[in-house]
Amino acid sequence: MASDPISAPASAPELAVSQLVSSALTRSAIFLVVTINPGDENRAAVLSFCADLSGVVRAVGFRDIEGAVSCIMGIGSEGWDRLFGSPRPAELHSFREFRSGPRHAVSTPGDLIFHIRAKRMDLCFELATQILARLAGVVTTVDEVQAFRYFDQRDLLGFVDGTENPTGAAAADAVFIRDEDPAFAGGSYVIVQKYLHNLDAWNSISTEAQENIIGRTKVADIELSDSVKPTYAHNALTVIEEGGREIKILRDNMPFGSPGHGEFGTYFIGYSRSPRTIEQMLENMFIGRPPGNYDRILDFSTPVTGSLFFVPTGTFLDDVSPDQPPTVAASVETSVSGGPSMNGSLGIGSLKGEDSYE
């Protein structure tokens, strides 16, 4: 498994090398979400595979060094309890659902996610095949999406997606845990949702109406000025500020679809230093900011999955032993009580561990 050049700070228990969370976007991706089958033998098999994943990625990637093959592995809350118990990443918990009227951000099962990326789909396909071959009978696939870049980074709604992604040091600061959870420094959180679009309804409205919903021009991808942008615009509701500073996430959204089945969608995948950032975005979208001022894109797009995972460092995965005994699982999900506050504050503070919502 390739690793990100960003390393954990010296305050971590050891110098840990992060997974390739903040690497460049690729043309192709496969998203695999699986659950671990019952039985101690299946737990042991997954633990064994954790340490072997980097070798599998290297073997596939070496066949085309220019193909930029990588795989990010994340672990869900129940999967973590079963595999590792405690200690747990401080903010790992089940996906938080949001519901208001017909709008529902659903929570769906997922113990592990494999975010497979490459410049070519055949390389993604080969790596996914090798991973599932190693885990045959051990896990059950609950969702698989083969996704692609669409023209000039557009989604199937016709708009450029991911324009405001941070880069370089800003991306690392946005996605990697630091001193706020030193035992898991260098790790990250990832939230995924599979959205299905009603393109017939979307294409029936004017370009101007679409631009007001997204908050950007469709052709040139220029953000609408605040003087004309509606407060319900997607990019207005997903801007999260704390202490006068915008808190960024890293999106690697990808389109997918099956024209023959009338399926068109976007796979949302957002990496962040704290899941509270994306949870606040979802609350704004589905509930509204203020309540009722919801994201109008949800009149045309429906999420059918929703999961939260912790992304440990590559060092952590490489060091996993299949013989490690089960540990005591945490009895309380540490951050369930710490969701976004109704006043819009994430409680992140300086992202050094302060928590403002008791």
Side-chain angles (χ1 to χ4, degrees), residues 322-340:
D323 299 322
Q324 63 186 74
T327 56
V328 178
S331 59
V332 178
E333 292 190 338
T334 55
S335 63
V336 167
S337 63

Side-chain angles (χ1 to χ4, degrees), residues 156-179:
L156 297 186
L157 300 178
F159 285 79
V160 175
D161 194 1
T163 303
E164 298 299 327
N165 264 351
T167 59
D173 184 65
V175 301
F176 293 124
I177 296 166
R178 302 300 190 189
D179 292 342

Side-chain angles (χ1 to χ4, degrees), residues 77-144:
S77 181
E78 293 185 10
W80 184 277
D81 283 346
R82 184 168 172 198
L83 294 173
F84 306 112
S86 59
R88 289 167 50 92
E91 296 191 83
L92 179 59
H93 56 269
S94 298
F95 179 87
R96 292 185 62 219
E97 294 194 354
F98 296 92
R99 185 197 296 268
S100 179
R103 302 178 299 280
H104 184 198
V106 298
S107 176
T108 51
D111 291 331
L112 306 172
I113 186 171
F114 298 98
H115 178 192
I116 300 168
R117 296 186 286 192
K119 293 181 179 180
R120 294 167 24 202
M121 179 53 74
D122 59 338
L123 293 169
C124 294
F125 181 86
E126 176 65 14
L127 182 51
T129 300
Q130 294 295 337
I131 289 172
L132 291 179
R134 279 290 310 272
L135 295 175
V138 174
V139 301
T140 298
T141 301
V142 295
D143 193 35
E144 175 186 355

Side-chain angles (χ1 to χ4, degrees), residues 294-310:
Y294 69 93
D295 190 339
R296 300 308 194 269
I297 201 172
L298 297 175
D299 292 339
F300 306 91
S301 301
T302 303
V304 295
T305 69
S307 301
L308 164 65
F309 303 89
F310 173 69

Side-chain angles (χ1 to χ4, degrees), residues 41 44 125 180 233 262:
E41 70 282 4
F125 181 86
E180 66 269 20

Side-chain angles (χ1 to χ4, degrees), residues 155-234:
D155 58 27
L156 297 186
L157 300 178
F159 285 79
V160 175
D161 194 1
T163 303
E164 298 299 327
N165 264 351
T167 59
D173 184 65
V175 301
F176 293 124
I177 296 166
R178 302 300 190 189
D179 292 342
E180 66 269 20
D181 191 8
F184 296 98
S188 186
Y189 293 93
V190 62
I191 285 179
V192 298
Q193 293 176 291
K194 181 165 69 174
Y195 283 85
L196 298 181
H197 305 317
N198 183 341
L199 288 189
D200 288 339
W202 177 256
N203 291 328
S204 71
I205 66 174
S206 68
T207 297
E208 182 181 5
Q210 292 178 358
E211 291 176 340
N212 284 334
I213 290 172
I214 300 299
R216 307 186 75 87
T217 60
K218 190 169 187 177
V219 175
D221 186 40
I222 302 300
E223 184 173 357
L224 300 183
S225 68
D226 291 340
S227 63
V228 300
K229 182 193 301 183
T231 57
Y232 60 73
H234 177 71

